[in-house]
Amino acid sequence: MPNRYLRYGDQRYIINKEAEARLNRTLDAVYADGTRGHEWLNLYHDSAAPCRLLIAPGVPITIETEPCVGE
């Protein structure tokens, strides 16, 4: 299975399906009606190492997939 990453600005974070689903819900909340300016996303929800990202209009965010060897 290929590794998936969240690129946030010039940083790259490993992302799993559960975190990607939470990211999508957060993006929906920020962009849905235009009244919410931003939301905080805790990327590693149940981890001792917190990673909170500000999700707001104008902040560059992409999901990248790293191809597996042999593909």
Side-chain angles (χ1 to χ4, degrees), residues 30-31 34 36-39 54-60:
V30 168
Y31 289 101
R36 289 182 132 164
H38 69 277
E39 290 276 327
L54 180 65
I55 308 301
V59 176

Side-chain angles (χ1 to χ4, degrees), residues 1-3 66-71:
M1 173 172 249
N3 291 326
E66 190 174 80
C68 291
V69 175
E71 287 189 358

Side-chain angles (χ1 to χ4, degrees), residues 1-58:
M1 173 172 249
N3 291 326
R4 293 180 51 84
Y5 297 93
L6 169 68
R7 177 153 315 265
Y8 180 86
D10 61 352
Q11 299 293 316
R12 198 165 89 154
Y13 303 93
I14 293 173
I15 190 167
N16 60 25
K17 289 184 185 233
E18 187 262 333
E20 189 171 354
R22 284 189 287 107
L23 171 64
N24 287 330
R25 287 191 299 272
T26 303
L27 288 168
D28 288 345
V30 168
Y31 289 101
D33 59 11
T35 59
R36 289 182 132 164
H38 69 277
E39 290 276 327
W40 286 97
L41 172 68
N42 187 353
L43 190 58
Y44 305 123
H45 190 63
D46 294 325
S47 172
C51 180
R52 289 176 37 117
L53 304 175
L54 180 65
I55 308 301

